[in-house]
Amino acid sequence: MRALTIALVVWTGLNGANAMQAAEGKMSVTKSAFGKLPDGQRIDLYTLANDAGVKAKIMTYGAIVTSVETPDRNGKPGEVTLGFDSLEGYLAGHPYFGAIAGRVANRIAKGRFTIDGVEYKLATNNGENHLHGGNKGFDKVVWKAEPSDKGASLKLSHVSPDGDEGYPGKLSVTVIYTLTDANELRIDYTATTDKPTPINLTNHAYWNLADGGKSDVLGHVLKLNADRYLPVDANLIPTGELKSVRGTPMDFTRPEKIGARIDEVPGEPKGYDHCFVLNQKSPGELTMAARVEDPASGRVMEIYTTEPAIQLYTGNFLDGSLKSRGADYKQHHAFCLETEHYPDSINQPKFPSTLLKPGETYRQTTVHKFLTSPATPK
């Protein structure tokens, strides 16, 4: 599997609402209660904060990023993700807002794959396909949390038993969220297994750099470091072809408004839901994948990843039925940029492998860096 060095962090418990301060700066982790599951299990919310005004909130249910606040070009902080301010909103059902998707993010065709001659059948929770780990994926389990006493960092771990949602092998997963003083939200993933099993983890945050989902993102300007994308069939399963973006509405090799050619994208409902192949010099290298800017607020987000691909989704199925934080989450009121392996890789031998074997360690790192741009002269 891919090799990656992760900095050593010393972990400690955190009681009540005490904040752990770093030796340098004003980095902190604060814990609070976020509600209880129907069985009475408590869900905790951790707030990572730095002295530049960036905050990220993560809860133990689904390892979900419930909120990210960043300043605009005038220094005013604002929400840039879609989510809910209470646990009830998530328990009522949502389209993976801020969640860790797994064991396998994105789609597996017909919910089936074969390893060493043995066929495994998974839940088909997206038409005839398997999506984001199944009926009870990693987005619907309670993760064990270990906050750091040095810096704004939170370690979350989960053990998925053999046969979980149909997957083979006991899988032990760790996700570490770290907020840096450089305004980076870093996500480090690791996993080990006792049987060969596919794995493809990602965070499924819905972003809106303008206002957290009150308006559409069609005017956001996007650049992707991807010369190719994966064409899909009617069920959004890759055909196996790696196609050039040149001359198509998939071309974001130069900065372009998300909505500039969205009506040219085939399929219904209209919008992007496509995987782009990143221009990496070598597999596993931390590579700039995307840059998004909201010209009005000046907020900019850059994404770096060790993964070979990134899925662009433009909230095509949001219909206004989900409401929170003064917003009706409507179609195209957010975008997702999911760093991952190619969809359906376990069934497509020509794609980079998602198979994890005993003795190997799955590693993935994705960094979201928040910046601001100057106002454009009138």
Side-chain angles (χ1 to χ4, degrees), residues 299-321:
R299 292 190 182 95
V300 176
M301 181 174 68
E302 295 177 348
I303 299 178
Y304 301 81
T305 189
T306 57
E307 291 296 270
I310 191 165
Q311 181 91 5
L312 170 62
Y313 172 59
T314 48
N316 309 330
F317 291 97
L318 296 175
D319 59 7
S321 60

Side-chain angles (χ1 to χ4, degrees), residues 73 209 220-226 252-258 278 287-295 298-304 310 312 335 337 367 369-374:
R73 66 164 60 92
L209 303 182
H220 282 48
V221 178
L222 171 65
K223 181 179 180 181
L224 295 176
N225 182 21
F252 289 96
T253 54
R254 295 183 179 181
E256 185 66 81
K257 289 182 178 179
I258 290 176
L278 296 175
T287 302
M288 186 171 184
R291 183 184 189 275
V292 192
E293 177 181 352
D294 170 45
R299 292 190 182 95
V300 176
M301 181 174 68
E302 295 177 348
I303 299 178
Y304 301 81
I310 191 165
L312 170 62
F335 64 88
L337 286 167
V367 178
K369 184 176 180 64
F370 301 101
L371 311 162
T372 57
S373 64

Side-chain angles (χ1 to χ4, degrees), residues 335-351:
F335 64 88
C336 302
L337 286 167
E338 307 151 51
T339 56
E340 58 184 26
H341 268 57
Y342 306 170
D344 198 38
S345 287
I346 191 65
N347 290 316
Q348 305 212 27
K350 292 183 180 180
F351 287 176

Side-chain angles (χ1 to χ4, degrees), residues 15 22 38 49 71 92 118 123 128 134 145 181 189 218 231 262 278 284-285 288 305 309 312 336 356 365:
N15 296 320
V118 178
E128 63 179 13
D181 57 7
Y189 309 73
L218 300 180
I262 199 168
L278 296 175
E285 179 183 50
M288 186 171 184
T305 189
L312 170 62
C336 302
L356 179 67
T365 292

Side-chain angles (χ1 to χ4, degrees), residues 41-54:
Q41 189 171 7
R42 169 177 162 149
I43 301 302
D44 292 321
L45 182 72
Y46 291 84
T47 301
L48 314 183
N50 68 12
D51 58 3
V54 179

Side-chain angles (χ1 to χ4, degrees), residues 196-335:
T197 192
I199 182 170
N200 185 20
L201 302 178
T202 194
N203 179 273
H204 205 295
Y206 283 65
W207 302 98
N208 182 319
L209 303 182
D211 50 31
K214 295 178 181 178
S215 63
D216 68 55
V217 296
L218 300 180
H220 282 48
V221 178
L222 171 65
K223 181 179 180 181
L224 295 176
N225 182 21
D227 293 333
R228 296 174 296 170
Y229 77 102
L230 303 180
V232 293
D233 63 19
N235 292 314
L236 298 177
I237 297 296
T239 63
E241 179 185 7
L242 275 63
K243 187 175 181 179
S244 172
V245 300
R246 302 295 182 185
T248 77
M250 306 297 167
D251 191 350
F252 289 96
T253 54
R254 295 183 179 181
E256 185 66 81
K257 289 182 178 179
I258 290 176
R261 294 161 298 177
I262 199 168
D263 289 338
E264 300 174 30
V265 179
E268 292 293 339
K270 285 296 181 184
Y272 294 95
D273 195 358
H274 294 80
C275 189
F276 291 77
V277 179
L278 296 175
N279 301 327
Q280 281 183 318
K281 292 182 180 179
S282 59
E285 179 183 50
L286 190 66
T287 302
M288 186 171 184
R291 183 184 189 275
V292 192
E293 177 181 352
D294 170 45
S297 68
R299 292 190 182 95
V300 176
M301 181 174 68
E302 295 177 348
I303 299 178
Y304 301 81
T305 189
T306 57
E307 291 296 270
I310 191 165
Q311 181 91 5
L312 170 62
Y313 172 59
T314 48
N316 309 330
F317 291 97
L318 296 175
D319 59 7
S321 60
L322 299 176
K323 309 175 192 294
S324 186
R325 301 170 182 165
D328 296 345
Y329 296 149
K330 299 178 182 179
Q331 187 181 58
H332 304 152
H333 276 215
F335 64 88

